Amino acid sequence: MSNSRSNPVEGSETAKTAKKRTVSLSVVRRMPRYYRYLNNLLEGDITRISSRELARRTGLTASQIRQDLNCFGGFGQQGYGYDVDKLYHEIGNIIGVEKSYDAILIGCGNLGRAVAIHLLSQPSAAFRLRAAFDRNPMLIGANIYGLQVFDPEELAEYCAEYAPKAAFLCLPTENAKSVVDVLYASGVRYYWNFTHYDISLEHPDTTVENVHLTDSLLTLCYHITVEENQGSDNT
Amino acid sequence: MSNSRSNPVEGSETAKTAKKRTVSLSVVRRMPRYYRYLNNLLEGDITRISSRELARRTGLTASQIRQDLNCFGGFGQQGYGYDVDKLYHEIGNIIGVEKSYDAILIGCGNLGRAVAIHLLSQPSAAFRLRAAFDRNPMLIGANIYGLQVFDPEELAEYCAEYAPKAAFLCLPTENAKSVVDVLYASGVRYYWNFTHYDISLEHPDTTVENVHLTDSLLTLCYHITVEENQGSDNT
């Protein structure tokens, strides 16, 4: 992997993209994990931790942890370790957990509801769910966990008025394109995407967190298949 | 990354672990993605595709695709490209999509139901959901989408009788440890884990696919925060 940190502008990247890249995506992806583990430590009244002990608990290596945290300035002290509360809040600030960005939910089936409950039940969930959209006439106008459900026909109008920062897509894949077209035209650039519609391929200037549940399940399936085949090889 | 493919047994790894490692986890993770895209191609009656065109559609590079598929023997022909139907079925075989491993669902809240519907609605979903467990007395004995819900007290007995291959954990994190203890003692080694309980840290001989929805959401939050901070830097 090239070290874009030491040479932030290279090739055809724009300065903005390069700046975003200064912390690698794999480090970024571990930040929420640290945040979660640190929260567990706080709940267990642990106020100080060494990178070695943090490594044991997270399953990472101590050197990786030090490297990761150094990307953001480093918060540890040699011989002392990390101040758990301070590190927890620093990482929270880096992620922006207190920002409460406005988000809307598209699709109020079981998955959409699970997502809604998940968000509404967490005091600091980084996003504030403002409205939901579902084409099911039985749901339109209803109230799901305090969240009003609108007709997707009203999506453009809603976005024009409230300018939500992010959309959470929990609708069937086949309906995703037409909804994203509206959202994108309305200025929504951040997506938490549970569908298989490839938003960033169509709209490269969006930021998309994909959750591909089927891919995850098939990865588990692959591991079983490999082991089963090995088992039959050995007999 | 070391090339364990050319030197499968090294260090303290067992031969079994090393063999598993011959295909890197990142390649494995891309297999379901190829499978999904190839399925889309078949649905669009596309029978042949070059690695370049597949790259354009998947957002990967052509050389990465060729390398990935070479890990499994390579299925392309120079100047012809890939036979979509053949490649789709080969990858399906590698993953084991037709195996239908028996699985049980733990937790029948919205997320558990979403997972159940997802699996039951797909003709070839690699896993066959056989039973569900939930401690909610209102649900015990009920039937969710054809799936019978049992009391978690019956879990050990059920596993002893039916030996499910995998468990899908959609219960609250705080209840996960006690349930996994029972499942592990009953021989279940494969987990699709939506909780934040770290199964493989406690039981290193399990194979776990974790789906950390909060981590994913906080990653999205981080990206917004970075862009917002850049925006305010520029003003």
Side-chain angles (χ1 to χ4, degrees):
Chain A
M1 195 176 292
S2 74
N3 184 355
S4 61
R5 191 172 173 76
S6 62
N7 183 14
V9 184
E10 55 184 356
S12 61
E13 280 187 322
T14 63
K16 194 177 175 194
T17 323
K19 198 169 175 191
K20 271 176 74 180
R21 289 254 182 98
T22 52
V23 177
S24 83
L25 195 59
S26 46
V27 178
V28 167
R29 291 206 168 279
R30 282 193 290 274
M31 282 291 140
R33 190 159 154 197
Y34 290 127
Y35 189 69
R36 180 154 50 80
Y37 278 98
L38 290 165
N39 186 40
N40 293 349
L41 293 175
L42 283 180
E43 285 177 352
D45 287 328
I46 296 170
T47 57
R48 201 168 96 167
I49 192 162
S50 66
S51 50
R52 182 181 297 200
E53 175 58 18
L54 194 54
R56 198 190 61 75
R57 287 172 182 255
T58 55
L60 299 167
T61 67
S63 103
Q64 185 167 44
I65 289 175
R66 286 192 297 265
Q67 269 178 39
D68 283 355
L69 299 179
N70 275 339
C71 287
F72 297 95
F75 307 101
Q77 239 179 294
Q78 190 105 40
Y80 176 88
Y82 295 101
D83 178 322
V84 175
D85 186 65
K86 194 174 157 206
L87 185 55
Y88 175 74
H89 285 99
E90 293 277 9
I91 292 181
N93 279 337
I94 289 166
I95 295 172
V97 290
E98 302 295 341
K99 301 278 183 166
S100 276
Y101 299 113
D102 284 349
I104 54 175
L105 175 68
I106 317 286
C108 301
N110 283 294
L111 183 62
R113 281 159 195 255
V115 165
I117 290 184
H118 179 72
L119 281 170
L120 299 168
S121 67
Q122 298 205 328
S124 161
F127 291 92
R128 208 164 19 188
L129 216 41
R130 291 301 201 172
F133 293 82
D134 198 294
R135 59 200 288 182
N136 179 351
M138 303 281 286
L139 290 176
I140 294 168
N143 193 301
I144 296 182
Y145 316 114
L147 204 63
Q148 206 186 332
V149 183
F150 295 93
D151 188 330
E153 293 292 321
E154 298 175 60
L155 196 52
E157 199 183 332
Y158 179 93
C159 291
E161 186 164 353
Y162 297 103
K165 198 77 192 171
F168 301 163
L169 306 184
C170 297
L171 72 169
T173 295
E174 55 269 31
N175 303 333
K177 186 186 167 2
S178 61
V179 165
V180 170
D181 283 348
V182 174
L183 289 166
Y184 184 83
S186 305
V188 179
R189 292 293 177 270
Y190 297 94
Y191 296 88
W192 198 24
N193 179 30
F194 286 81
T195 81
H196 287 160
Y197 174 59
D198 199 334
I199 301 170
S200 54
L201 201 65
E202 186 109 345
H203 305 292
D205 62 336
T206 54
T207 298
V208 184
E209 262 295 298
N210 289 304
V211 182
H212 290 309
L213 295 180
T214 305
D215 288 13
S216 169
L217 191 59
L218 289 186
T219 302
L220 183 64
C221 180
Y222 169 83
H223 289 299
I224 300 180
T225 303
V226 168
E227 295 238 343
E228 297 258 304
N229 289 343
Q230 283 174 357
S232 56
D233 285 355
N234 295 340
T235 52
Chain B
M1 196 176 289
S2 74
N3 184 355
S4 60
R5 191 173 173 74
S6 61
N7 181 16
V9 184
E10 56 182 359
S12 60
E13 280 185 324
T14 63
K16 194 176 173 194
T17 322
K19 199 170 175 193
K20 271 176 74 178
R21 289 258 180 94
T22 52
V23 177
S24 84
L25 195 58
S26 46
V27 177
V28 167
R29 289 203 169 282
R30 283 193 290 273
M31 282 291 141
R33 191 159 153 197
Y34 290 127
Y35 189 68
R36 180 154 50 81
Y37 279 98
L38 289 164
N39 186 39
N40 293 348
L41 293 175
L42 282 179
E43 285 177 350
D45 287 328
I46 296 170
T47 57
R48 200 168 95 168
I49 193 163
S50 66
S51 50
R52 183 182 295 199
E53 176 58 18
L54 193 55
R56 199 190 60 78
R57 286 172 183 255
T58 55
L60 299 167
T61 67
S63 102
Q64 185 167 46
I65 289 173
R66 285 192 298 266
Q67 270 178 39
D68 284 357
L69 298 179
N70 275 339
C71 288
F72 297 97
F75 307 102
Q77 238 179 297
Q78 191 105 37
Y80 176 88
Y82 296 100
D83 177 323
V84 175
D85 186 65
K86 195 174 157 205
L87 185 56
Y88 175 73
H89 286 99
E90 293 276 10
I91 293 182
N93 280 338
I94 289 166
I95 296 171
V97 290
E98 301 295 342
K99 301 277 185 168
S100 274
Y101 299 113
D102 285 348
I104 54 175
L105 176 68
I106 317 287
C108 301
N110 282 294
L111 183 62
R113 283 159 193 255
V115 164
I117 288 184
H118 179 71
L119 281 171
L120 299 168
S121 67
Q122 298 205 325
S124 160
F127 291 91
R128 208 162 21 186
L129 216 42
R130 292 300 202 172
F133 294 83
D134 198 294
R135 58 201 289 183
N136 180 349
M138 304 281 286
L139 289 176
I140 294 168
N143 192 302
I144 296 182
Y145 316 114
L147 204 63
Q148 206 188 330
V149 183
F150 296 93
D151 188 330
E153 294 291 323
E154 298 175 59
L155 196 52
E157 200 184 330
Y158 179 93
C159 291
E161 187 165 353
Y162 297 103
K165 197 78 192 170
F168 301 163
L169 306 184
C170 297
L171 73 170
T173 295
E174 54 270 30
N175 303 333
K177 186 188 169 356
S178 60
V179 165
V180 171
D181 284 348
V182 174
L183 289 166
Y184 184 83
S186 305
V188 178
R189 293 293 177 270
Y190 296 94
Y191 296 88
W192 198 25
N193 179 31
F194 287 80
T195 81
H196 286 159
Y197 174 58
D198 199 334
I199 301 170
S200 54
L201 202 65
E202 186 109 344
H203 304 291
D205 61 337
T206 54
T207 299
V208 184
E209 262 294 299
N210 289 305
V211 182
H212 290 310
L213 295 180
T214 304
D215 288 12
S216 169
L217 191 59
L218 289 186
T219 303
L220 183 65
C221 180
Y222 169 83
H223 289 299
I224 301 180
T225 303
V226 168
E227 295 237 344
E228 298 258 304
N229 289 344
Q230 283 174 357
S232 56
D233 286 354
N234 296 340
T235 51

